[in-house]
């Protein structure tokens, strides 16, 4: 699958939760096996006791073929990490041989933690704007305050602690400077602001129940919020934390089906059952596994930007990388007004011309001269409109669209010079970002060949992974645009 670039100003909080927690929003997840001498199953007593505790609580078997262990690999198994900085070294391993098609785990409804677990007296006082992620964060905080008295203590105690999560919302200003050329920097600021607003909305509840929430500050709420955001699954209960299942780490080398059966109150899989009745995970093996193989899933087709922002890790070579590029045009409000005047709403949405949604995805171009998908037509249409300088030209495009397939500026402009200008505009934007990314990468110094990272070095590697992936995608788009403009000039 190719990488992609996204153009425009993205607001992370406008993404639906189903995108943030894309573990169940798509029913096909990647699953693979991974063995390493760095891994050790049931390396401490608490880990060995966890599954028996959960099965006693559920009154049902969770899994007979998986066990919890610690690995020197975090959620990205591509790099070895020291245990003291690995934010999520707990993993699931095959404890027995597993055959293709086996359901390796199924977690009953009764041991999911969802927003409806929130005490009614607390839930009734929450403002309507408080979302499900914040509600789950409140539950986590309340259970943490109970300590060993909590019915969820064995689970809560195994969640990553403050300092063990590397999402960019926890990065220092100096660390964020490393990724300032990426829009992930701006998304991090917006995300922190959103979480702060959620905290201000729920703080009166904390003050009203001091015996439950005494001493909780913004940093504690943000940590709980990030725990939920990086671990939750979509279900008919909204958003759910699913103990044991959330020990599955991230990789992407094979396919598996994750389905669930509402009627049986736990996960099941059936090729003939309507998807509408499914709501919690059942991991189906798509290959054979030997004892000691680590079992991992693919969280989603996420770029390094999303992985770093929402999960706190990156991949060395992520085929789903993308770049966000904002546009600036002082005439855009008038152009948008004319577009809305001359185009139907369907055309507007199809082109992506909107005052609130102005982003475009570009697949990584594998060949600058090939007939591949190249730069998407929607983005090229955007550039054509952006380079126009008169209302007459805009009106002519609207008339032309109405007389053809209704899609504005989807065909090359009749004025070849203007067509080249539009694509040169995109090329200039991309070239500027390439230069900025290159300077930022060089400022980090040469990449470390050591496998022993401290936290600062780990985050520097993540920043390098993010910018290097974006630079790769930018370069492929630049080559395609250069070739397109050169071909037009020769005609």
């Amino acid at each position: 699958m190719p990488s992609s670039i996204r153009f425009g100003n993205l607001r992370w909080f406008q993404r639906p939760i189903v995108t943030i927690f894309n573990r169940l929003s798509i029913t096909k997840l990647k699953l693979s096996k991974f063995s390493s001498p760095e891994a050790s199953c049931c390396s401490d007593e608490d880990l060995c006791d966890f599954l028996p505790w959960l099965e006693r609580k559920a009154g049902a078997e969770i899994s007979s073929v998986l066990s919890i262990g610690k690995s020197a690999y975090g959620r990205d198994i591509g790099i070895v990490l020291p245990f003291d900085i690995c934010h999520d070294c707990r993993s699931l391993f095959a404890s027995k041989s597993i055959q293709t098609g086996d359901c390796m785990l199924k977690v009953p409804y009764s041991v999911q933690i969802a927003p409806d677990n929130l005490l009614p007296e607390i839930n009734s006082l929450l403002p309507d704007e408080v979302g499900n992620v914040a509600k789950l964060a409140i539950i986590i905080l309340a259970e943490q305050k109970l300590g060993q008295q909590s019915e969820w203590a064995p689970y809560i105690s195994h969640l990553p602690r403050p300092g063990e999560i590397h999402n960019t919302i926890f990065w220092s200003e100096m660390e964020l400077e490393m990724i300032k050329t990426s829009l992930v920097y701006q998304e991090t600021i917006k995300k922190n602001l959103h979480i702060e607003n959620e905290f201000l909305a729920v703080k009166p509840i904390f003050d009203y129940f001091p015996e439950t929430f005494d001493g909780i500050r913004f940093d504690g709420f943000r940590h709980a919020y990030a725990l939920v955001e990086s671990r939750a699954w979509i279900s008919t209960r909204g958003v759910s934390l699913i103990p044991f299942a959330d020990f599955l780490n991230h990789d992407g080398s094979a396919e598996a089906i994750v389905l669930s059966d509402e009627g049986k109150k736990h996960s099941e899989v059936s090729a003939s059952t309507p998807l509408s009745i499914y709501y919690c995970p059942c991991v189906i093996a798509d290959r054979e596994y030997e004892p000691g193989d680590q079992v991992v899933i693919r969280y989603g087709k996420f770029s390094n930007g999303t992985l770093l922002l929402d999960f706190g890790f990156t991949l060395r070579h992520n085929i789903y990388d993308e770049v966000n590029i904002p546009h600036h045009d002082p005439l855009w409000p008038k152009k948008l007004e004319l577009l809305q005047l001359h185009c139907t709403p369907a055309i507007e949405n199809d082109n992506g011309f909107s005052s609130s949604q102005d982003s475009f995805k570009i697949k990584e171009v594998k060949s600058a001269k090939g007939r591949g998908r190249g730069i998407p037509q929607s983005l090229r249409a955007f550039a054509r409109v952006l380079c126009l300088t008169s209302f007459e030209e805009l009106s002519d495009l609207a008339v032309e669209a109405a007389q053809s397939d209704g899609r504005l500026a989807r065909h090359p402009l009749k004025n070849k010079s203007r067509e080249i200008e539009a694509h040169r505009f995109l090329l200039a934007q991309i070239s500027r970002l390439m230069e900025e990314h290159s300077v930022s990468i060089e400022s980090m110094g040469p990449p470390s060949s050591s496998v022993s990272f401290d936290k600062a070095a780990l985050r520097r590697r993540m920043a390098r992974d993010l910018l290097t992936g974006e630079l790769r995608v930018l370069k492929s788009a630049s080559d395609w645009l250069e070739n397109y403009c050169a071909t037009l000039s020769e005609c």
Side-chain angles (χ1 to χ4, degrees):
M1 297 291 289
S3 302
S4 61
I5 297 176
R6 181 172 298 163
F7 280 69
N9 296 313
L10 293 185
R11 295 177 176 84
W12 80 272
F13 45 84
Q14 290 181 333
R15 293 180 296 175
I17 292 177
V18 72
T19 300
I20 299 174
F21 308 123
N22 201 6
R23 300 185 187 183
L24 288 184
S25 59
I26 52 174
T27 57
K28 288 189 176 182
L29 293 181
K30 290 282 191 174
L31 186 91
S32 71
K33 65 179 183 177
F34 181 76
S35 297
S36 169
E38 303 292 338
S40 59
C41 297
C42 281
S43 56
D44 62 52
E45 185 176 349
D46 286 343
L47 287 177
C48 291
D49 289 344
F50 182 87
L51 184 56
W53 162 80
L54 188 64
E55 291 182 331
R56 288 194 300 271
K57 184 174 182 59
E61 183 179 76
I62 304 296
S63 176
S64 62
V65 295
L66 296 177
S67 61
I68 306 170
K70 285 188 176 181
S71 172
Y73 298 85
R75 290 199 169 186
D76 166 18
I77 69 168
I79 185 167
V80 181
L81 302 175
F83 285 129
D84 60 341
I85 66 166
C86 179
H87 77 285
D88 208 348
C89 292
R90 297 171 184 86
S91 308
L92 295 186
F93 297 87
S95 56
K96 300 178 181 179
S97 295
I98 299 173
Q99 304 300 313
T100 303
D102 288 351
C103 179
M104 295 184 291
L105 70 86
K106 47 189 177 183
V107 184
Y109 179 94
S110 60
V111 290
Q112 294 185 36
I113 306 176
D116 55 27
N117 289 117
L118 196 60
L119 291 175
E121 57 267 31
I122 294 178
N123 192 46
S124 64
L125 296 176
L126 287 173
D128 292 339
E129 64 267 22
V130 174
N132 283 332
V133 178
K135 291 179 180 179
L136 268 181
I138 294 171
I139 295 173
I140 293 296
L141 291 169
E143 297 300 326
Q144 286 176 335
K145 279 291 183 180
L146 289 173
Q148 292 303 311
Q149 301 302 313
S150 168
E151 63 173 310
W152 297 100
Y155 173 65
I156 299 297
S157 65
H158 282 96
L159 295 174
R161 298 180 297 273
E164 295 180 336
I165 305 179
H166 300 287
N167 308 48
T168 51
I169 58 174
F170 299 107
W171 287 26
S172 67
E173 291 185 12
M174 184 177 297
E175 289 168 336
L176 285 174
E177 281 291 321
M178 294 187 294
I179 60 170
K180 199 165 186 177
T181 58
S182 171
L183 206 61
V184 174
Y185 174 85
Q186 293 295 335
E187 290 185 356
T188 299
I189 294 173
K190 292 175 182 177
K191 188 171 185 179
N192 259 321
L193 180 59
H194 175 74
I195 298 174
E196 184 176 359
N197 289 336
E198 291 272 69
F199 173 70
L200 293 175
V202 302
K203 190 176 184 302
I205 307 300
F206 296 162
D207 296 337
Y208 193 80
F209 297 95
E211 68 283 0
T212 303
F213 301 106
D214 182 50
I216 292 176
R217 303 291 183 262
F218 171 68
D219 286 346
F221 177 79
R222 181 173 60 174
H223 174 252
Y225 196 101
L227 286 176
V228 173
E229 191 179 63
S230 63
R231 309 179 77 83
W233 303 62
I234 289 296
S235 77
T236 55
R237 300 175 71 185
V239 180
S240 298
L241 288 169
I242 305 180
F244 191 74
D246 62 8
F247 287 134
L248 287 163
N249 288 330
H250 176 79
D251 191 28
S253 62
E255 289 288 344
I257 303 298
V258 178
L259 297 173
S260 56
D261 185 343
E262 182 176 351
K264 295 186 178 180
K265 301 296 184 184
H266 59 61
S267 311
E268 286 291 351
V269 61
S270 169
S272 61
T273 307
L275 289 181
S276 60
I277 72 168
Y278 294 137
Y279 72 93
C280 67
C282 180
V283 179
I284 310 299
D286 71 328
R287 62 170 69 182
E288 295 182 355
Y289 291 85
E290 297 300 324
D293 290 340
Q294 183 181 166
V295 179
V296 292
I297 63 174
R298 186 182 68 195
Y299 294 171
K301 297 179 180 180
F302 296 141
S303 68
N304 271 342
T306 297
L307 292 176
L308 188 54
L309 185 69
D310 293 340
F311 298 96
F313 68 91
T314 56
L315 305 177
R316 278 292 174 89
H317 184 87
N318 189 342
I319 59 175
Y320 302 109
D321 273 328
E322 61 188 38
V323 182
N324 301 315
I325 305 178
H327 72 78
H328 303 283
D329 179 15
L331 295 179
W332 181 246
K334 180 57 69 174
K335 291 179 179 180
L336 180 61
E337 179 183 336
L338 287 173
L339 288 167
Q340 292 171 334
L341 177 65
H342 290 286
C343 303
T344 65
I347 296 174
E348 177 192 343
N349 291 339
D350 187 42
N351 279 332
F353 296 129
S354 168
S355 58
S356 61
Q357 295 179 344
D358 51 4
S359 62
F360 303 88
K361 271 188 180 178
I362 295 181
K363 300 288 185 180
E364 183 177 6
V365 187
K366 297 299 183 182
S367 172
K369 297 181 179 180
R371 292 181 173 271
R373 300 176 67 179
I375 311 299
Q377 290 296 331
S378 58
L379 175 59
R380 299 171 70 188
F382 164 80
R384 288 168 183 140
V385 172
L386 205 61
C387 77
L388 300 182
T389 58
S390 70
F391 296 148
E392 289 78 12
E393 288 177 309
L394 281 170
S395 297
D396 289 344
L397 278 183
V399 171
E400 180 182 322
Q403 293 174 345
S404 58
D405 61 3
R407 298 189 298 175
L408 190 71
R410 289 302 183 99
H411 301 291
L413 296 173
K414 295 177 181 178
N415 185 325
K416 186 167 64 174
S417 297
R418 191 73 84 192
E419 175 75 358
I420 294 175
E421 179 187 348
H423 288 76
R424 286 288 178 190
F425 163 78
L426 292 179
L427 185 58
Q429 294 289 96
I430 288 173
S431 297
R432 175 182 59 81
L433 275 177
M434 288 173 61
E435 176 64 24
E436 293 176 354
H437 276 54
S438 295
V439 170
S440 295
I441 293 171
E442 290 175 7
S443 70
M444 297 179 202
S448 173
S449 58
S450 171
V451 297
S452 179
F453 294 95
D454 57 23
K455 185 169 71 172
L458 175 62
R459 291 182 177 179
R460 187 163 56 250
R461 181 189 70 81
M462 292 177 178
R464 181 185 296 277
D465 288 346
L466 171 68
L467 297 184
T468 300
E470 291 186 354
L471 183 59
R472 185 185 72 251
V473 178
L474 288 167
K475 181 64 167 61
S476 74
S478 173
D479 291 344
W480 191 94
L481 288 166
E482 285 278 14
N483 183 68
Y484 180 76
C485 292
T487 301
L488 276 183
S489 298
E490 294 170 0
C491 292

